[in-house]
Amino acid sequence: MHADSVSIKHDRSKYLKDFENEKVIDYIDANSGILTASAIAQLYLTKIPQNTEWYKKTTGLLCLVRDLNRRSFFFRLVNLKAQLLWEEELYTNFCYNKVTKNFYFFSGYNCNVGFNFAFEDEAVKFQRAIEQAVYSLEKFDQIRADPNNNNHRLTINLS
C-alpha cells in the first residue's frame, strides 16, 4: 500500500512516465520514506582530498526523501529500476549553492556534491523542497535542545 493512499502525497517527476514514477515511489515506500521532491539529474562529485576537480559520478532520478525510520532527510539518487545509486543525509546549517540555472552544489561529508538538473523547473522545485527540509531539521534541533521541552516529536509540513 502506498503512503499516498493514506493522505501522503509523493512528488512525481513530470518528465517520467507514470509507471516509472510508480516504481520509484514503490521503492521509497518500501524503505519507509516520503518522496518530497524528485528530479532528473546528473550527480557530480569533487575528487578528494583537494575537492577542486569535478567528475560526473552517475545520472538518475534525484530524490529528496523524508526517511520515517531514520527521522531525517536524505538525498537518494536512483535509477529507473529503483536501485539506489548514491545517498547522503541532509544536515542542519546546510548551504545549497546555485552556480547556474541547472547546477547546484553543497559540501558533502567527504567531498563537494553537485547536481546538474535536466530541467530548470525541477531544479527550482528541488531547491524549495530542500529549504523546507532544512527548516524542519533546524526546528527539530531547537526543540531537542530546549531543556524545558519533554516532547521530542515534531510535525513536519511537507506541502
Side-chain angles (χ1 to χ4, degrees):
M1 176 162 104
H2 288 284
D4 57 351
S5 66
V6 288
S7 81
I8 295 174
K9 183 165 173 47
H10 291 281
D11 183 60
R12 296 169 183 269
S13 172
K14 68 181 184 182
Y15 300 103
L16 295 180
K17 296 177 180 162
D18 286 340
F19 78 91
E20 293 169 326
N21 276 306
E22 285 299 319
K23 188 173 253 190
V24 172
I25 289 169
D26 286 345
Y27 167 76
I28 299 297
D29 272 348
N31 290 285
S32 300
I34 300 169
L35 182 56
T36 63
S38 61
I40 299 167
Q42 296 171 320
L43 172 66
Y44 282 82
L45 304 174
T46 53
K47 293 183 179 179
I48 51 177
Q50 296 87 1
N51 283 331
T52 55
E53 185 180 340
W54 291 98
Y55 70 96
K56 185 173 94 171
K57 174 81 173 167
T58 191
T59 301
L61 186 68
L62 180 63
C63 302
L64 180 62
V65 177
R66 178 179 171 212
D67 188 307
L68 301 174
N69 288 337
R70 294 161 72 183
R71 296 183 178 174
S72 191
F73 289 87
F74 290 83
F75 294 111
R76 292 188 179 138
L77 189 72
V78 298
N79 62 21
L80 293 182
K81 296 177 184 174
Q83 297 168 322
L84 183 64
L85 303 173
W86 172 85
E87 175 183 75
E88 185 143 340
E89 186 173 8
L90 191 65
Y91 51 88
T92 54
N93 300 318
F94 182 81
C95 185
Y96 193 57
N97 305 286
K98 181 178 181 178
V99 178
T100 69
K101 64 182 182 174
N102 289 49
F103 190 83
Y104 295 72
F105 81 95
F106 64 94
S107 295
Y109 289 104
N110 298 318
C111 62
N112 292 321
V113 177
F115 302 139
N116 186 32
F117 293 92
F119 302 98
E120 184 178 359
D121 61 326
E122 287 193 332
V124 170
K125 174 184 71 170
F126 213 85
Q127 181 179 12
R128 288 187 190 129
I130 289 171
E131 289 168 358
Q132 179 64 43
V134 169
Y135 173 79
S136 296
L137 289 172
E138 290 171 352
K139 188 172 180 178
F140 184 66
D141 281 352
Q142 290 171 354
I143 291 169
R144 282 194 311 202
D146 183 355
N148 298 319
N149 185 358
N150 293 327
N151 182 3
H152 296 289
R153 298 182 71 204
L154 172 67
T155 302
I156 298 174
N157 180 5
L158 297 173
S159 55

